[in-house]
């Protein structure tokens, strides 16, 4: 799937018309900048006046003294949220899984283009690698005044080292366990954009609700979201309720299969290792998994053990080969989810249809 292309001609025409209207308005009102400009100015002033702000998180609390001007993000999701709030970070990590040729994603590229800061332009964020973990050296070079990691896997040692560079917004409770709504709210507070964050959450949820309404067959269907790779011969990994993937399916009206809750031992387990010998016990209407290629789906169905998973036997298996689509759900953000649904929901709906007639 390609990212949405900017309609340059339309934008150029609209910009010319807007400029002409603005000139007429200024000639009639003297020094007035008009209601829209006043509203923008009021929002900016309101954001700045909110500081200092203190944000509590897993490692204590962080106080941000003034509205950040140089924002750096780590991990996934945090850069999406900043962009969704109209803030272009000075530095972001490269995407190295589910990425495109720019080391980015279609939804991030679209947001950057909209803000006039697409990769390859002078206003684009600097990209740094996180292949070997937090890139302290490159982050320090960017001289940030805040580092956003509300959705991340920061360790306490990482947090302390980053805090020597700039104030750090860490995750509230669990590494990689922050719901996208909470990530958006926390980052909105850190950037002095709480009202904008609230609206972004509401608008995104409304978009999701609208798209999901076209697939009523998925409502109340039980599901398991796991990782099935027959070639590895190590059974399955089953994601629990605190992982973003099952969390998202629950939010759109599906129900996590009871077998998952019954076998989740602690409140911090993101996944459960599951023996292939017990695959037939993984009862649900639908089973969702990422697979490395299209032949893997056939291999799952043909596997003498994994093929006994009830949803697989019924044909209600969603085996997605698109890394970018998988990333958009697993690292959910207000930008990634609307992008994902047009491709993901038809697959989910087809699987739910098969579950209903099997």
């Amino acid at each position: 799937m390609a990212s949405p292309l900017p309609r340059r001609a339309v934008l150029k025409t609209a910009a010319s018309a807007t400029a002409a209207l603005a000139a007429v308005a200024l000639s009639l009102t003297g020094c007035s900048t008009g209601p829209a400009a006043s509203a923008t100015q009021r929002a900016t002033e309101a954001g700045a006046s909110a500081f200092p702000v203190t944000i509590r998180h897993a490692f204590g609390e962080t106080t941000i003294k003034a509205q950040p001007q140089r924002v750096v993000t780590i991990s996934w999701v945090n850069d999406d949220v900043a962009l969704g709030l109209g803030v272009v970070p000075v530095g972001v990590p490269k995407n190295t899984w589910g990425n495109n040729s720019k080391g980015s994603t279609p939804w991030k590229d679209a947001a950057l283009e909209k803000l006039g800061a697409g990769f390859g332009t002078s206003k684009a964020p600097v990209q740094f690698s996180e292949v070997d973990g937090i890139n302290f050296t490159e982050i320090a070079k960017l001289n940030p005044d805040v580092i956003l990691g509300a959705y991340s896997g920061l360790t306490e040692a990482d947090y302390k080292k980053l805090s020597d560079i700039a104030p750090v917004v860490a995750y509230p409770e669990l590494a990689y366990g922050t719901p996208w709504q909470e990530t958006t709210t926390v980052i909105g507070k850190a950037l002095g954009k709480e009202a904008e964050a609230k609206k972004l959450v509401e608008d995104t949820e409304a978009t999701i609700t609208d798209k999901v309404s076209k697939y009523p067959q998925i409502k109340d269907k039980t599901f398991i979201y796991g990782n099935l790779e027959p070639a590895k011969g190590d059974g399955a990994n089953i994601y629990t309720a605190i992982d973003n993937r099952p969390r998202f399916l629950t939010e759109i009206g599906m129900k996590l299969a009871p077998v998952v809750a019954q076998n989740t031992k602690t409140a911090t387990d993101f996944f459960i290792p599951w023996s292939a010998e017990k695959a037939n016990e993984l009862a649900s209407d639908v089973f969702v998994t990422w697979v490395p290629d299209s032949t893997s789906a056939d291999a799952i169905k043909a596997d003498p053990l994994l093929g006994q998973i009830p949803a697989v036997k019924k044909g209600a298996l969603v085996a997605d080969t698109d890394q970018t689509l998988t990333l958009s759900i697993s690292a959910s953000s207000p930008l990634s989810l609307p992008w994902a649904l047009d491709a993901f929901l038809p697959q989910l709906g087809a699987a739910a249809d098969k579950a209903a007639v099997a």
Side-chain angles (χ1 to χ4, degrees):
M1 285 166 287
S3 59
L5 294 173
R7 299 184 182 275
R8 299 183 186 278
V10 174
L11 291 176
K12 184 176 180 181
T13 302
S16 299
T18 301
L21 288 171
V24 173
L26 285 172
S27 69
L28 294 174
T29 59
C31 295
S32 171
T33 57
S38 298
T40 301
Q41 183 178 1
R42 286 196 298 272
T44 301
E45 290 172 352
S49 67
F51 291 85
V53 297
T54 298
I55 296 175
R56 294 180 176 82
H57 49 71
F59 305 119
E61 58 183 39
T62 295
T63 297
I64 304 169
K65 295 180 180 179
Q67 189 164 29
Q69 302 301 311
R70 296 185 60 81
V71 176
V72 167
T73 68
I74 61 170
S75 188
W76 303 293
V77 179
N78 304 289
D79 49 359
D80 286 3
V81 173
L83 292 170
L85 295 173
V87 174
V88 178
V90 295
V92 299
K94 287 183 179 178
N95 287 84
T96 54
W97 197 91
N99 57 294
N100 57 25
S101 61
K102 298 178 183 179
S104 180
T105 59
W107 55 89
K108 190 187 305 182
D109 290 342
L112 283 168
E113 290 287 344
K114 184 178 179 180
L115 294 169
F119 289 119
T121 69
S122 61
K123 295 182 179 180
V126 171
Q127 291 176 291
F128 50 84
S129 173
E130 286 189 328
V131 170
D132 297 320
I134 303 296
N135 199 326
F136 301 100
T137 300
E138 294 303 315
I139 290 172
K141 287 179 183 178
L142 292 167
N143 192 30
D145 47 26
V146 72
I147 300 168
L148 302 179
Y151 179 89
S152 70
L154 279 176
T155 65
E156 188 166 10
D158 292 335
Y159 170 75
K160 289 179 178 178
K161 193 168 181 179
L162 282 175
S163 295
D164 290 336
I165 300 172
V168 181
V169 178
Y171 47 84
E173 295 182 44
L174 296 173
Y176 296 119
T178 314
W180 68 266
Q181 296 95 328
E182 188 173 6
T183 299
T184 304
T185 300
V186 169
I187 290 177
K189 182 176 181 181
L191 299 180
K193 292 181 173 289
E194 288 190 90
E196 292 92 331
K198 182 175 184 293
K199 186 175 188 304
L200 181 58
V201 169
E202 291 172 349
D203 289 350
T204 303
E205 289 181 335
T207 296
I208 293 170
T209 298
D210 177 63
K211 290 180 179 291
V212 170
S213 69
K214 297 175 175 61
Y215 296 87
Q217 67 268 48
I218 70 174
K219 183 173 175 55
D220 293 331
K221 290 292 189 297
T222 60
F223 73 89
I224 294 174
Y225 205 129
N227 184 28
L228 303 176
E229 293 187 56
K232 290 187 175 181
D234 56 357
N237 289 322
I238 305 302
Y239 298 108
T240 70
I242 65 171
D243 185 86
N244 272 340
R245 285 156 280 203
R247 181 184 283 141
F248 175 67
L249 293 184
T250 300
E251 287 177 353
I252 64 173
M254 300 184 75
K255 295 181 178 179
L256 185 61
V259 66
V260 179
Q262 291 163 5
N263 287 275
T264 301
K265 304 302 182 185
T266 75
T268 58
D269 286 340
F270 285 94
F271 69 92
I272 307 166
W274 198 273
S275 169
E277 284 72 20
K278 299 194 300 177
N280 63 312
E281 298 176 17
L282 292 171
S284 65
D285 292 320
V286 175
F287 197 108
V288 184
T289 183
W290 175 79
V291 291
D293 52 58
S294 58
T295 62
S296 295
D298 294 332
I300 291 170
K301 297 170 187 176
D303 189 275
L305 296 177
L306 298 181
Q308 297 305 306
I309 295 172
V312 174
K313 291 180 70 174
K314 292 185 291 186
L317 172 68
V318 177
D320 181 51
T321 62
D322 186 341
Q323 288 188 4
T324 305
L325 181 56
T326 298
L327 177 67
S328 68
I329 302 294
S330 61
S332 303
S333 80
L335 300 186
S336 73
L337 289 176
W339 178 90
L341 292 178
D342 289 337
F344 185 60
L345 286 174
Q347 298 183 55
L348 204 57
D353 287 339
K354 291 179 180 178
V357 299

